[in-house]
Amino acid sequence: MLTVTFIRHGQSTDNVRHVWAGWADAPLSQRGKTQAEALGAYFSKTLFTKIYASPLKRAATTAALVLTAQPAPQPPHDFTIESIKEQNFGIAEGKPWCSPDNRSSKSLSEYMSEGKYPTPLPGERFTDGESDEDLAARAMQAVDEVIMPHVHSAMRARRAEHIALVSHGLCIRALICALLERDSRNITTSRGYTGMQNTAWARVIIEMQDVADGTPLEITDEDNPLIVTVTDFGRADHLIKLVRPPDFHHICGCYY
């Protein structure tokens, strides 16, 4: 069995500015560091097999603070995983986001020509940025290259593994949906899986169908049906004792 804990980074300085922040590499704010430290303490008794992170500062720093709180010997880590970076918003990076009353009245190109950057509709993308489909393809790559090797090693050895991926709101949604597509029960992936506040976490358990505990297995990469279960989403128990700023609901940055 493999357990995957997805962690959204702490509050960044761009979250506070209310701007599009995908590949723009803003650091954590002071509050973001406090959030990440609280998260590290919360997970200090959770023994991770390995911790992965996006190389963007807000994710890598969050992951480092989680790693620091792990008991010795600390687990191996890799904070350079390009495939779990946030969606690239192209020319909108660093620009204020807006919410027009009648978004569909104009194309994204028309809004951009006016210097406005609303949320792209399905099939749209900012110039030089990624579409939702691009992000989904990248998430599938991350599942293949980062997560599935742990699935196979855990199943072969018949041991439980638990990895953490510190990433970003939209990318975490895409990663969860990519994993659910591997579920042999053909369950729906229509749930939104969006709106995680900073340092909130989600958890997915991956098991092999119709396998009981016993001796090591012969694993093939394609023929072993999997059961993928989302057990938690948006958990933020570690933040309960932190004082929220007056405009918390406005600046929590529940996506990027």
Side-chain angles (χ1 to χ4, degrees), residues 85-140:
K85 289 166 67 173
E86 184 56 293
Q87 187 169 358
N88 183 357
F89 300 121
I91 66 168
E93 296 278 352
K95 305 290 198 309
W97 43 261
C98 65
S99 301
D101 292 335
N102 188 8
R103 169 63 182 86
S104 60
S105 65
K106 298 178 184 179
S107 69
L108 184 62
S109 296
E110 290 175 302
Y111 279 112
M112 287 190 292
S113 69
E114 299 171 357
K116 298 177 181 178
Y117 300 91
T119 300
L121 297 176
E124 293 182 333
R125 77 179 79 189
F126 293 117
T127 303
D128 299 326
E130 291 179 303
S131 66
D132 291 344
E133 292 76 17
D134 295 330
L135 178 60
R138 182 154 57 78
M140 192 66 73

CSV table of all heavy atoms in Angstrom, one decimal, residues 85-140:
chain,number,residue,atom,x,y,z
A,85,LYS,N,5.3,21.7,-10.3
A,85,LYS,CA,5.1,23.1,-10.2
A,85,LYS,C,3.7,23.6,-10.5
A,85,LYS,O,2.9,22.8,-11.0
A,85,LYS,CB,6.1,23.8,-11.2
A,85,LYS,CG,7.5,23.7,-10.8
A,85,LYS,CD,8.4,24.1,-12.0
A,85,LYS,CE,8.4,25.6,-12.3
A,85,LYS,NZ,9.4,26.0,-13.3
A,86,GLU,N,3.3,24.8,-10.1
A,86,GLU,CA,2.0,25.3,-10.3
A,86,GLU,C,1.8,25.5,-11.8
A,86,GLU,O,2.8,25.5,-12.6
A,86,GLU,CB,1.8,26.6,-9.5
A,86,GLU,CG,0.4,27.2,-9.6
A,86,GLU,CD,-0.7,26.2,-9.2
A,86,GLU,OE1,-0.9,25.2,-9.9
A,86,GLU,OE2,-1.4,26.4,-8.2
A,87,GLN,N,0.6,25.7,-12.2
A,87,GLN,CA,0.2,26.0,-13.6
A,87,GLN,C,0.9,27.3,-14.0
A,87,GLN,O,1.0,28.3,-13.2
A,87,GLN,CB,-1.3,26.2,-13.7
A,87,GLN,CG,-1.7,26.4,-15.2
A,87,GLN,CD,-3.3,26.2,-15.3
A,87,GLN,OE1,-3.9,26.0,-14.3
A,87,GLN,NE2,-3.8,26.4,-16.5
A,88,ASN,N,1.5,27.4,-15.2
A,88,ASN,CA,2.2,28.5,-15.7
A,88,ASN,C,1.1,29.5,-16.2
A,88,ASN,O,0.4,29.2,-17.2
A,88,ASN,CB,3.2,28.1,-16.7
A,88,ASN,CG,4.0,29.3,-17.3
A,88,ASN,OD1,3.8,30.4,-16.9
A,88,ASN,ND2,4.9,29.0,-18.2
A,89,PHE,N,1.1,30.7,-15.7
A,89,PHE,CA,0.1,31.7,-16.2
A,89,PHE,C,0.7,32.7,-17.2
A,89,PHE,O,0.0,33.7,-17.5
A,89,PHE,CB,-0.5,32.4,-15.0
A,89,PHE,CG,-1.2,31.5,-14.0
A,89,PHE,CD1,-0.8,31.4,-12.7
A,89,PHE,CD2,-2.2,30.7,-14.4
A,89,PHE,CE1,-1.4,30.6,-11.8
A,89,PHE,CE2,-2.9,29.8,-13.6
A,89,PHE,CZ,-2.5,29.8,-12.2
A,90,GLY,N,1.9,32.4,-17.7
A,90,GLY,CA,2.4,33.2,-18.8
A,90,GLY,C,2.5,34.7,-18.5
A,90,GLY,O,3.0,35.1,-17.4
A,91,ILE,N,1.9,35.5,-19.4
A,91,ILE,CA,2.0,37.0,-19.3
A,91,ILE,C,1.2,37.5,-18.1
A,91,ILE,O,1.4,38.7,-17.7
A,91,ILE,CB,1.6,37.7,-20.5
A,91,ILE,CG1,0.2,37.6,-20.9
A,91,ILE,CG2,2.5,37.3,-21.7
A,91,ILE,CD1,-0.3,38.5,-21.9
A,92,ALA,N,0.3,36.7,-17.5
A,92,ALA,CA,-0.5,37.1,-16.4
A,92,ALA,C,0.3,37.0,-15.1
A,92,ALA,O,-0.1,37.6,-14.1
A,92,ALA,CB,-1.7,36.3,-16.3
A,93,GLU,N,1.5,36.4,-15.1
A,93,GLU,CA,2.2,36.2,-13.8
A,93,GLU,C,2.5,37.6,-13.2
A,93,GLU,O,3.0,38.5,-13.9
A,93,GLU,CB,3.6,35.5,-14.1
A,93,GLU,CG,3.4,34.1,-14.6
A,93,GLU,CD,3.2,33.1,-13.5
A,93,GLU,OE1,3.3,33.5,-12.3
A,93,GLU,OE2,2.9,31.9,-13.8
A,94,GLY,N,2.2,37.7,-12.0
A,94,GLY,CA,2.4,39.0,-11.3
A,94,GLY,C,1.4,40.1,-11.5
A,94,GLY,O,1.5,41.1,-10.9
A,95,LYS,N,0.4,39.8,-12.4
A,95,LYS,CA,-0.6,40.7,-12.6
A,95,LYS,C,-1.8,40.5,-11.7
A,95,LYS,O,-2.1,39.4,-11.3
A,95,LYS,CB,-1.1,40.6,-14.1
A,95,LYS,CG,0.0,40.8,-15.1
A,95,LYS,CD,0.5,42.2,-15.2
A,95,LYS,CE,1.3,42.4,-16.5
A,95,LYS,NZ,2.3,41.4,-16.8
A,96,PRO,N,-2.5,41.5,-11.3
A,96,PRO,CA,-3.7,41.4,-10.5
A,96,PRO,C,-4.8,40.5,-11.2
A,96,PRO,O,-5.0,40.7,-12.4
A,96,PRO,CB,-4.2,42.8,-10.2
A,96,PRO,CG,-3.0,43.7,-10.5
A,96,PRO,CD,-2.3,43.0,-11.6
A,97,TRP,N,-5.4,39.6,-10.4
A,97,TRP,CA,-6.5,38.8,-11.0
A,97,TRP,C,-7.8,39.6,-10.8
A,97,TRP,O,-7.9,40.4,-9.9
A,97,TRP,CB,-6.6,37.4,-10.5
A,97,TRP,CG,-6.4,37.3,-9.0
A,97,TRP,CD1,-5.2,36.9,-8.3
A,97,TRP,CD2,-7.4,37.4,-8.0
A,97,TRP,NE1,-5.4,36.8,-7.0
A,97,TRP,CE2,-6.7,37.2,-6.7
A,97,TRP,CE3,-8.7,37.8,-7.9
A,97,TRP,CZ2,-7.4,37.2,-5.5
A,97,TRP,CZ3,-9.4,37.9,-6.7
A,97,TRP,CH2,-8.7,37.6,-5.5
A,98,CYS,N,-8.7,39.4,-11.7
A,98,CYS,CA,-10.0,40.1,-11.6
A,98,CYS,C,-11.1,39.1,-11.8
A,98,CYS,O,-11.0,38.0,-12.4
A,98,CYS,CB,-10.0,41.3,-12.5
A,98,CYS,SG,-10.0,40.8,-14.3
A,99,SER,N,-12.3,39.5,-11.4
A,99,SER,CA,-13.5,38.7,-11.6
A,99,SER,C,-14.6,39.5,-12.2
A,99,SER,O,-15.5,40.1,-11.5
A,99,SER,CB,-14.0,38.1,-10.3
A,99,SER,OG,-13.0,37.4,-9.7
A,100,PRO,N,-14.7,39.7,-13.6
A,100,PRO,CA,-15.7,40.4,-14.2
A,100,PRO,C,-17.1,39.9,-14.0
A,100,PRO,O,-17.2,38.7,-13.8
A,100,PRO,CB,-15.3,40.3,-15.7
A,100,PRO,CG,-13.9,39.9,-15.8
A,100,PRO,CD,-13.7,39.1,-14.5
A,101,ASP,N,-18.1,40.7,-13.9
A,101,ASP,CA,-19.5,40.3,-13.7
A,101,ASP,C,-20.0,39.3,-14.8
A,101,ASP,O,-20.6,38.4,-14.5
A,101,ASP,CB,-20.4,41.5,-13.6
A,101,ASP,CG,-20.1,42.3,-12.3
A,101,ASP,OD1,-19.6,41.7,-11.3
A,101,ASP,OD2,-20.4,43.5,-12.3
A,102,ASN,N,-19.6,39.6,-16.0
A,102,ASN,CA,-20.1,38.8,-17.1
A,102,ASN,C,-18.8,38.3,-17.9
A,102,ASN,O,-18.5,38.7,-19.0
A,102,ASN,CB,-21.0,39.6,-18.0
A,102,ASN,CG,-21.6,38.7,-19.1
A,102,ASN,OD1,-21.5,37.5,-19.0
A,102,ASN,ND2,-22.3,39.3,-20.0
A,103,ARG,N,-18.2,37.3,-17.3
A,103,ARG,CA,-16.9,36.8,-17.8
A,103,ARG,C,-17.0,36.4,-19.2
A,103,ARG,O,-16.1,36.6,-20.1
A,103,ARG,CB,-16.4,35.7,-16.9
A,103,ARG,CG,-15.2,34.9,-17.5
A,103,ARG,CD,-13.9,35.8,-17.6
A,103,ARG,NE,-12.8,35.0,-18.2
A,103,ARG,CZ,-12.6,34.8,-19.5
A,103,ARG,NH1,-13.4,35.4,-20.4
A,103,ARG,NH2,-11.6,34.1,-19.9
A,104,SER,N,-18.0,35.7,-19.6
A,104,SER,CA,-18.1,35.1,-20.9
A,104,SER,C,-18.5,36.1,-22.0
A,104,SER,O,-18.6,35.7,-23.2
A,104,SER,CB,-19.2,34.0,-20.9
A,104,SER,OG,-20.5,34.5,-20.6
A,105,SER,N,-18.7,37.4,-21.7
A,105,SER,CA,-19.0,38.4,-22.7
A,105,SER,C,-17.9,38.7,-23.6
A,105,SER,O,-18.1,39.3,-24.7
A,105,SER,CB,-19.6,39.6,-22.0
A,105,SER,OG,-18.5,40.2,-21.2
A,106,LYS,N,-16.6,38.4,-23.1
A,106,LYS,CA,-15.5,38.7,-24.0
A,106,LYS,C,-14.5,37.5,-23.9
A,106,LYS,O,-14.5,36.7,-23.0
A,106,LYS,CB,-14.7,39.9,-23.4
A,106,LYS,CG,-15.5,41.2,-23.4
A,106,LYS,CD,-14.6,42.3,-22.8
A,106,LYS,CE,-15.4,43.6,-22.7
A,106,LYS,NZ,-14.5,44.7,-22.1
A,107,SER,N,-13.7,37.4,-24.9
A,107,SER,CA,-12.7,36.3,-24.9
A,107,SER,C,-11.5,36.8,-24.0
A,107,SER,O,-11.4,37.9,-23.6
A,107,SER,CB,-12.1,36.1,-26.3
A,107,SER,OG,-11.4,37.3,-26.7
A,108,LEU,N,-10.7,35.8,-23.6
A,108,LEU,CA,-9.6,36.1,-22.8
A,108,LEU,C,-8.6,37.1,-23.5
A,108,LEU,O,-8.1,38.0,-22.8
A,108,LEU,CB,-8.8,34.8,-22.4
A,108,LEU,CG,-7.7,35.0,-21.4
A,108,LEU,CD1,-8.1,35.5,-20.1
A,108,LEU,CD2,-6.9,33.6,-21.2
A,109,SER,N,-8.5,36.9,-24.8
A,109,SER,CA,-7.6,37.8,-25.6
A,109,SER,C,-8.1,39.3,-25.5
A,109,SER,O,-7.3,40.2,-25.3
A,109,SER,CB,-7.5,37.4,-27.0
A,109,SER,OG,-6.9,36.1,-27.1
A,110,GLU,N,-9.4,39.5,-25.5
A,110,GLU,CA,-9.9,40.8,-25.4
A,110,GLU,C,-9.7,41.4,-24.0
A,110,GLU,O,-9.3,42.6,-23.9
A,110,GLU,CB,-11.5,40.8,-25.7
A,110,GLU,CG,-11.8,40.5,-27.1
A,110,GLU,CD,-13.3,40.4,-27.3
A,110,GLU,OE1,-13.9,39.5,-26.7
A,110,GLU,OE2,-13.8,41.1,-28.2
A,111,TYR,N,-9.8,40.6,-23.0
A,111,TYR,CA,-9.5,41.1,-21.7
A,111,TYR,C,-8.1,41.4,-21.5
A,111,TYR,O,-7.7,42.5,-21.0
A,111,TYR,CB,-9.9,40.0,-20.6
A,111,TYR,CG,-11.4,40.0,-20.2
A,111,TYR,CD1,-12.2,38.9,-20.6
A,111,TYR,CD2,-12.0,41.1,-19.5
A,111,TYR,CE1,-13.5,38.9,-20.3
A,111,TYR,CE2,-13.3,41.0,-19.2
A,111,TYR,CZ,-14.1,40.0,-19.6
A,111,TYR,OH,-15.4,40.0,-19.2
A,112,MET,N,-7.2,40.6,-22.1
A,112,MET,CA,-5.7,40.8,-21.9
A,112,MET,C,-5.4,42.1,-22.7
A,112,MET,O,-4.5,42.8,-22.2
A,112,MET,CB,-4.9,39.6,-22.5
A,112,MET,CG,-5.0,38.4,-21.5
A,112,MET,SD,-3.8,37.1,-22.0
A,112,MET,CE,-4.5,36.6,-23.6
A,113,SER,N,-6.0,42.4,-23.8
A,113,SER,CA,-5.7,43.6,-24.6
A,113,SER,C,-6.1,44.8,-23.8
A,113,SER,O,-5.6,45.9,-24.0
A,113,SER,CB,-6.5,43.6,-25.9
A,113,SER,OG,-7.9,43.7,-25.7
A,114,GLU,N,-7.0,44.7,-22.8
A,114,GLU,CA,-7.4,45.8,-21.9
A,114,GLU,C,-6.6,45.8,-20.6
A,114,GLU,O,-6.8,46.6,-19.7
A,114,GLU,CB,-8.9,45.7,-21.6
A,114,GLU,CG,-9.8,45.7,-22.8
A,114,GLU,CD,-11.2,45.4,-22.4
A,114,GLU,OE1,-11.5,45.0,-21.2
A,114,GLU,OE2,-12.1,45.4,-23.3
A,115,GLY,N,-5.6,44.9,-20.5
A,115,GLY,CA,-4.8,44.9,-19.3
A,115,GLY,C,-5.5,44.2,-18.1
A,115,GLY,O,-5.1,44.5,-17.0
A,116,LYS,N,-6.5,43.3,-18.4
A,116,LYS,CA,-7.2,42.6,-17.4
A,116,LYS,C,-6.9,41.1,-17.5
A,116,LYS,O,-6.8,40.6,-18.6
A,116,LYS,CB,-8.7,42.9,-17.5
A,116,LYS,CG,-9.1,44.4,-17.4
A,116,LYS,CD,-10.6,44.6,-17.6
A,116,LYS,CE,-10.9,46.1,-17.5
A,116,LYS,NZ,-12.4,46.3,-17.8
A,117,TYR,N,-6.9,40.5,-16.3
A,117,TYR,CA,-6.5,39.0,-16.3
A,117,TYR,C,-7.5,38.2,-15.5
A,117,TYR,O,-7.2,37.9,-14.3
A,117,TYR,CB,-5.1,38.9,-15.8
A,117,TYR,CG,-4.1,39.7,-16.7
A,117,TYR,CD1,-3.8,41.0,-16.4
A,117,TYR,CD2,-3.6,39.1,-17.8
A,117,TYR,CE1,-2.9,41.7,-17.2
A,117,TYR,CE2,-2.7,39.8,-18.6
A,117,TYR,CZ,-2.4,41.1,-18.3
A,117,TYR,OH,-1.5,41.8,-19.2
A,118,PRO,N,-8.7,37.9,-16.0
A,118,PRO,CA,-9.6,37.1,-15.3
A,118,PRO,C,-9.3,35.6,-15.5
A,118,PRO,O,-8.3,35.2,-16.2
A,118,PRO,CB,-10.9,37.4,-16.1
A,118,PRO,CG,-10.5,37.6,-17.5
A,118,PRO,CD,-9.2,38.4,-17.4
A,119,THR,N,-10.0,34.8,-14.7
A,119,THR,CA,-9.7,33.3,-14.8
A,119,THR,C,-10.1,32.8,-16.2
A,119,THR,O,-11.2,33.1,-16.7
A,119,THR,CB,-10.6,32.6,-13.8
A,119,THR,OG1,-10.2,33.0,-12.5
A,119,THR,CG2,-10.3,31.1,-13.9
A,120,PRO,N,-9.1,32.1,-16.9
A,120,PRO,CA,-9.4,31.6,-18.2
A,120,PRO,C,-10.6,30.6,-18.2
A,120,PRO,O,-10.8,29.8,-17.2
A,120,PRO,CB,-8.1,30.9,-18.6
A,120,PRO,CG,-7.1,31.5,-17.8
A,120,PRO,CD,-7.7,31.9,-16.5
A,121,LEU,N,-11.4,30.6,-19.2
A,121,LEU,CA,-12.5,29.6,-19.4
A,121,LEU,C,-11.9,28.3,-19.9
A,121,LEU,O,-10.7,28.3,-20.4
A,121,LEU,CB,-13.6,30.2,-20.3
A,121,LEU,CG,-14.3,31.4,-19.8
A,121,LEU,CD1,-15.3,31.9,-20.9
A,121,LEU,CD2,-15.0,31.2,-18.5
A,122,PRO,N,-12.6,27.2,-19.9
A,122,PRO,CA,-12.1,26.0,-20.4
A,122,PRO,C,-11.6,26.1,-21.9
A,122,PRO,O,-12.3,26.8,-22.7
A,122,PRO,CB,-13.3,25.0,-20.3
A,122,PRO,CG,-14.1,25.5,-19.2
A,122,PRO,CD,-13.9,27.0,-19.2
A,123,GLY,N,-10.4,25.7,-22.1
A,123,GLY,CA,-9.8,25.8,-23.5
A,123,GLY,C,-9.0,27.0,-23.7
A,123,GLY,O,-8.3,27.1,-24.7
A,124,GLU,N,-9.1,28.0,-22.7
A,124,GLU,CA,-8.3,29.2,-22.8
A,124,GLU,C,-7.0,29.1,-22.1
A,124,GLU,O,-6.9,28.3,-21.2
A,124,GLU,CB,-9.1,30.4,-22.3
A,124,GLU,CG,-10.3,30.8,-23.1
A,124,GLU,CD,-11.0,32.0,-22.6
A,124,GLU,OE1,-10.9,32.2,-21.3
A,124,GLU,OE2,-11.7,32.7,-23.3
A,125,ARG,N,-6.0,29.9,-22.4
A,125,ARG,CA,-4.8,30.1,-21.6
A,125,ARG,C,-4.3,31.5,-21.8
A,125,ARG,O,-4.5,32.1,-22.9
A,125,ARG,CB,-3.8,29.0,-22.1
A,125,ARG,CG,-3.1,29.3,-23.4
A,125,ARG,CD,-2.1,28.3,-23.8
A,125,ARG,NE,-2.7,27.1,-24.4
A,125,ARG,CZ,-2.0,26.0,-24.7
A,125,ARG,NH1,-0.8,25.9,-24.4
A,125,ARG,NH2,-2.7,25.0,-25.3
A,126,PHE,N,-3.5,31.9,-20.8
A,126,PHE,CA,-2.8,33.2,-21.0
A,126,PHE,C,-1.7,33.0,-22.0
A,126,PHE,O,-1.1,31.9,-22.1
A,126,PHE,CB,-2.3,33.7,-19.7
A,126,PHE,CG,-3.3,34.1,-18.7
A,126,PHE,CD1,-3.4,33.4,-17.5
A,126,PHE,CD2,-4.2,35.1,-18.9
A,126,PHE,CE1,-4.4,33.7,-16.5
A,126,PHE,CE2,-5.1,35.5,-18.0
A,126,PHE,CZ,-5.2,34.8,-16.8
A,127,THR,N,-1.3,34.0,-22.7
A,127,THR,CA,-0.2,34.0,-23.7
A,127,THR,C,1.0,33.5,-22.9
A,127,THR,O,1.4,34.0,-21.8
A,127,THR,CB,0.0,35.4,-24.2
A,127,THR,OG1,-1.2,35.8,-24.9
A,127,THR,CG2,1.2,35.4,-25.3
A,128,ASP,N,1.7,32.5,-23.5
A,128,ASP,CA,2.9,31.9,-23.0
A,128,ASP,C,2.7,31.1,-21.8
A,128,ASP,O,3.7,30.7,-21.1
A,128,ASP,CB,4.0,33.0,-22.7
A,128,ASP,CG,4.4,33.8,-23.9
A,128,ASP,OD1,4.4,33.2,-25.0
A,128,ASP,OD2,4.7,35.0,-23.8
A,129,GLY,N,1.4,30.8,-21.4
A,129,GLY,CA,1.1,30.0,-20.3
A,129,GLY,C,0.6,28.7,-20.6
A,129,GLY,O,0.6,28.2,-21.8
A,130,GLU,N,0.2,27.9,-19.6
A,130,GLU,CA,-0.4,26.6,-19.8
A,130,GLU,C,-1.9,26.6,-19.7
A,130,GLU,O,-2.5,27.3,-18.9
A,130,GLU,CB,0.2,25.7,-18.7
A,130,GLU,CG,1.7,25.3,-18.8
A,130,GLU,CD,2.1,24.4,-17.6
A,130,GLU,OE1,1.9,24.8,-16.4
A,130,GLU,OE2,2.7,23.4,-17.9
A,131,SER,N,-2.5,25.7,-20.4
A,131,SER,CA,-3.9,25.5,-20.3
A,131,SER,C,-4.2,24.4,-19.2
A,131,SER,O,-3.2,23.8,-18.7
A,131,SER,CB,-4.5,25.0,-21.6
A,131,SER,OG,-4.0,23.7,-21.9
A,132,ASP,N,-5.4,24.2,-18.9
A,132,ASP,CA,-5.8,23.2,-17.9
A,132,ASP,C,-5.3,21.8,-18.5
A,132,ASP,O,-4.9,21.0,-17.7
A,132,ASP,CB,-7.3,23.2,-17.6
A,132,ASP,CG,-7.7,24.4,-16.9
A,132,ASP,OD1,-6.9,25.1,-16.3
A,132,ASP,OD2,-9.0,24.6,-16.9
A,133,GLU,N,-5.4,21.6,-19.8
A,133,GLU,CA,-5.0,20.4,-20.4
A,133,GLU,C,-3.5,20.2,-20.3
A,133,GLU,O,-3.0,19.0,-20.1
A,133,GLU,CB,-5.5,20.3,-21.8
A,133,GLU,CG,-7.0,20.3,-22.0
A,133,GLU,CD,-7.7,21.6,-21.8
A,133,GLU,OE1,-7.0,22.6,-21.8
A,133,GLU,OE2,-9.0,21.6,-21.6
A,134,ASP,N,-2.8,21.2,-20.5
A,134,ASP,CA,-1.3,21.2,-20.3
A,134,ASP,C,-1.0,20.7,-18.9
A,134,ASP,O,-0.1,19.9,-18.7
A,134,ASP,CB,-0.7,22.5,-20.6
A,134,ASP,CG,-0.8,22.9,-22.0
A,134,ASP,OD1,-0.9,22.1,-22.9
A,134,ASP,OD2,-0.8,24.2,-22.3
A,135,LEU,N,-1.6,21.3,-17.9
A,135,LEU,CA,-1.4,21.0,-16.5
A,135,LEU,C,-1.7,19.6,-16.2
A,135,LEU,O,-1.0,18.8,-15.5
A,135,LEU,CB,-2.1,21.9,-15.6
A,135,LEU,CG,-2.0,21.7,-14.1
A,135,LEU,CD1,-0.6,21.8,-13.6
A,135,LEU,CD2,-2.9,22.6,-13.3
A,136,ALA,N,-2.9,19.1,-16.8
A,136,ALA,CA,-3.3,17.7,-16.5
A,136,ALA,C,-2.2,16.7,-17.1
A,136,ALA,O,-1.9,15.7,-16.5
A,136,ALA,CB,-4.6,17.5,-17.2
A,137,ALA,N,-1.7,17.1,-18.3
A,137,ALA,CA,-0.7,16.2,-18.9
A,137,ALA,C,0.6,16.2,-18.0
A,137,ALA,O,1.2,15.1,-17.9
A,137,ALA,CB,-0.4,16.7,-20.3
A,138,ARG,N,1.0,17.3,-17.5
A,138,ARG,CA,2.2,17.4,-16.6
A,138,ARG,C,1.9,16.6,-15.3
A,138,ARG,O,2.9,15.9,-14.8
A,138,ARG,CB,2.5,18.8,-16.4
A,138,ARG,CG,3.7,19.0,-15.5
A,138,ARG,CD,4.4,20.4,-15.8
A,138,ARG,NE,3.6,21.5,-15.6
A,138,ARG,CZ,3.3,22.0,-14.4
A,138,ARG,NH1,3.7,21.5,-13.3
A,138,ARG,NH2,2.5,23.1,-14.3
A,139,ALA,N,0.7,16.7,-14.8
A,139,ALA,CA,0.4,15.9,-13.6
A,139,ALA,C,0.5,14.4,-13.9
A,139,ALA,O,1.0,13.6,-13.0
A,139,ALA,CB,-1.0,16.3,-13.1
A,140,MET,N,0.0,14.0,-15.0
A,140,MET,CA,0.1,12.6,-15.4
A,140,MET,C,1.6,12.1,-15.5
A,140,MET,O,1.9,11.0,-15.0
A,140,MET,CB,-0.6,12.3,-16.7
A,140,MET,CG,-0.8,10.8,-17.0
A,140,MET,SD,-2.0,10.0,-15.9
A,140,MET,CE,-3.5,10.7,-16.5
